[in-house]
Amino acid sequence: GVPNDDDRAFLRGYDVADLWREEAGALAGKGAAPLRRRLLAWAEHTESQAGLLPMFGSARRHVGVALAALDQHPELLNLEDGTVDLRRGRHRPARRADLLTQRASGRWNPSAPRPTWERVIEESLDDPETAAFLQRAAGYTLGGDRSEQVFFVLQGPGASGKGTGAWTLAAILGDYARG
């Protein structure tokens, strides 16, 4: 079967034994032979069950989380002062158990003024339907759900607010915009 994280961690013990062998091979000089023999013996012990199991058990306490477990909640948006559940529109304290590694800029304030964003929308879009679509696209970008598999392209004449809007959204998204 496909190796899991435990298998891969266990196999790293063999890498440690190889490092001991490299160290032994790098020793030179008259007095190096006894140390070289000890390092080679230790490498053999490290590869044995008696060497691997305690090393694995000890290291396991220090292993954090599998990378695949990180950032698995597209409905959650981390902010400077907590986490927003985007489906419910509710703010709560951040939880370690969520395993979120990214953070958007700013703090939760649902009634905060949005002068730059609103100005870009008003000045660059006179069509309410397009403005509403842009708001939905920005909201979709804000969340982590990618089930729609969309790609947004901003099109229009120069100096019409496309760049300002995109940079504003990137500034709001913080780490999320940087991937």
Side-chain angles (χ1 to χ4, degrees):
V2 177
N4 63 30
D5 289 337
D6 285 348
D7 296 333
R8 284 188 283 271
F10 197 79
L11 292 173
R12 296 291 290 173
Y14 292 101
D15 295 339
V16 173
D18 289 340
L19 290 172
W20 288 122
R21 284 191 189 88
E22 285 178 27
E23 287 294 317
L27 292 174
K30 288 185 192 179
L35 181 55
R36 187 173 23 255
R37 281 192 299 272
R38 286 180 39 210
L39 286 173
L40 290 172
W42 189 252
E44 290 299 315
H45 171 76
T46 300
E47 285 183 325
S48 72
Q49 190 172 5
L52 283 172
L53 290 177
M55 182 173 36
F56 180 65
S58 176
R60 189 173 183 112
R61 289 192 309 264
H62 302 286
V63 173
V65 182
L67 288 177
L70 300 175
D71 299 313
Q72 294 300 306
H73 301 283
E75 74 283 2
L76 299 179
L77 180 70
N78 244 2
L79 298 174
E80 292 172 1
D81 65 343
T83 303
V84 177
D85 182 330
L86 296 170
R87 290 188 180 146
R88 294 177 182 87
R90 293 189 183 137
H91 179 265
R92 62 169 171 78
R95 298 179 191 148
R96 255 186 110 116
D98 291 336
L99 300 176
L100 301 176
T101 64
Q102 298 174 320
R103 186 175 69 185
S105 64
R107 303 172 69 76
W108 175 252
N109 182 353
S111 60
R114 302 167 297 276
T116 304
W117 183 254
E118 290 172 353
R119 183 178 46 79
V120 167
I121 298 292
E122 288 173 15
E123 291 177 3
S124 58
L125 302 169
D126 12 341
D127 174 22
E129 187 176 323
T130 304
F133 175 79
L134 183 59
Q135 291 281 50
R136 285 192 310 276
Y140 184 78
T141 303
L142 192 67
D145 178 12
R146 300 293 176 251
S147 60
E148 297 294 324
Q149 298 184 4
V150 297
F151 181 78
F152 298 108
V153 177
L154 301 176
Q155 178 183 340
S160 63
K162 298 179 303 294
T164 302
W167 285 111
T168 300
L169 194 54
I172 292 166
L173 289 172
D175 294 337
Y176 292 95
R178 293 184 272 286

PDB file of all heavy atoms in Angstrom, residues 4 72 88 97 116 141 151:
ATOM      1  N   ASN A   4       2.135   5.621   4.847  1.00  0.00           N
ATOM      2  CA  ASN A   4       1.510   6.717   5.578  1.00  0.00           C
ATOM      3  C   ASN A   4       2.590   7.500   6.318  1.00  0.00           C
ATOM      4  O   ASN A   4       3.775   7.191   6.219  1.00  0.00           O
ATOM      5  CB  ASN A   4       0.420   6.193   6.530  1.00  0.00           C
ATOM      6  CG  ASN A   4       0.977   5.279   7.603  1.00  0.00           C
ATOM      7  OD1 ASN A   4       2.120   5.415   8.033  1.00  0.00           O
ATOM      8  ND2 ASN A   4       0.163   4.337   8.035  1.00  0.00           N
ATOM      9  N   GLN A  72      -7.560  22.806   6.021  1.00  0.00           N
ATOM     10  CA  GLN A  72      -8.595  21.956   5.433  1.00  0.00           C
ATOM     11  C   GLN A  72     -10.013  22.473   5.669  1.00  0.00           C
ATOM     12  O   GLN A  72     -10.974  21.737   5.499  1.00  0.00           O
ATOM     13  CB  GLN A  72      -8.471  20.533   5.992  1.00  0.00           C
ATOM     14  CG  GLN A  72      -7.208  19.838   5.569  1.00  0.00           C
ATOM     15  CD  GLN A  72      -7.114  19.711   4.061  1.00  0.00           C
ATOM     16  OE1 GLN A  72      -8.024  19.192   3.415  1.00  0.00           O
ATOM     17  NE2 GLN A  72      -6.031  20.209   3.488  1.00  0.00           N
ATOM     18  N   ARG A  88     -21.560  31.029   8.113  1.00  0.00           N
ATOM     19  CA  ARG A  88     -22.504  31.566   9.110  1.00  0.00           C
ATOM     20  C   ARG A  88     -22.331  33.059   9.338  1.00  0.00           C
ATOM     21  O   ARG A  88     -23.159  33.687   9.967  1.00  0.00           O
ATOM     22  CB  ARG A  88     -22.321  30.815  10.427  1.00  0.00           C
ATOM     23  CG  ARG A  88     -22.712  29.360  10.337  1.00  0.00           C
ATOM     24  CD  ARG A  88     -22.446  28.631  11.645  1.00  0.00           C
ATOM     25  NE  ARG A  88     -22.783  27.231  11.539  1.00  0.00           N
ATOM     26  CZ  ARG A  88     -21.953  26.296  11.093  1.00  0.00           C
ATOM     27  NH1 ARG A  88     -20.741  26.613  10.706  1.00  0.00           N
ATOM     28  NH2 ARG A  88     -22.330  25.035  11.028  1.00  0.00           N
ATOM     29  N   ALA A  97      -6.891  23.831  16.994  1.00  0.00           N
ATOM     30  CA  ALA A  97      -7.395  22.598  16.387  1.00  0.00           C
ATOM     31  C   ALA A  97      -7.842  22.794  14.940  1.00  0.00           C
ATOM     32  O   ALA A  97      -7.930  21.824  14.185  1.00  0.00           O
ATOM     33  CB  ALA A  97      -8.552  22.044  17.219  1.00  0.00           C
ATOM     34  N   THR A 116     -12.239  52.567   0.066  1.00  0.00           N
ATOM     35  CA  THR A 116     -11.520  52.272  -1.177  1.00  0.00           C
ATOM     36  C   THR A 116     -12.315  51.298  -2.021  1.00  0.00           C
ATOM     37  O   THR A 116     -12.520  51.513  -3.222  1.00  0.00           O
ATOM     38  CB  THR A 116     -10.115  51.703  -0.877  1.00  0.00           C
ATOM     39  OG1 THR A 116      -9.419  52.631  -0.055  1.00  0.00           O
ATOM     40  CG2 THR A 116      -9.343  51.463  -2.149  1.00  0.00           C
ATOM     41  N   THR A 141     -13.616  34.719  -3.834  1.00  0.00           N
ATOM     42  CA  THR A 141     -12.166  34.731  -3.685  1.00  0.00           C
ATOM     43  C   THR A 141     -11.776  34.712  -2.217  1.00  0.00           C
ATOM     44  O   THR A 141     -10.789  34.089  -1.838  1.00  0.00           O
ATOM     45  CB  THR A 141     -11.589  35.991  -4.372  1.00  0.00           C
ATOM     46  OG1 THR A 141     -11.990  35.981  -5.745  1.00  0.00           O
ATOM     47  CG2 THR A 141     -10.080  36.028  -4.296  1.00  0.00           C
ATOM     48  N   PHE A 151     -12.257  31.116 -12.855  1.00  0.00           N
ATOM     49  CA  PHE A 151     -11.073  31.951 -13.040  1.00  0.00           C
ATOM     50  C   PHE A 151     -11.581  33.326 -13.434  1.00  0.00           C
ATOM     51  O   PHE A 151     -12.254  33.474 -14.454  1.00  0.00           O
ATOM     52  CB  PHE A 151     -10.194  31.348 -14.141  1.00  0.00           C
ATOM     53  CG  PHE A 151      -8.942  32.127 -14.397  1.00  0.00           C
ATOM     54  CD1 PHE A 151      -7.861  32.011 -13.545  1.00  0.00           C
ATOM     55  CD2 PHE A 151      -8.833  32.976 -15.489  1.00  0.00           C
ATOM     56  CE1 PHE A 151      -6.694  32.711 -13.772  1.00  0.00           C
ATOM     57  CE2 PHE A 151      -7.680  33.683 -15.728  1.00  0.00           C
ATOM     58  CZ  PHE A 151      -6.605  33.551 -14.863  1.00  0.00           C
TER      59      PHE A 151
END
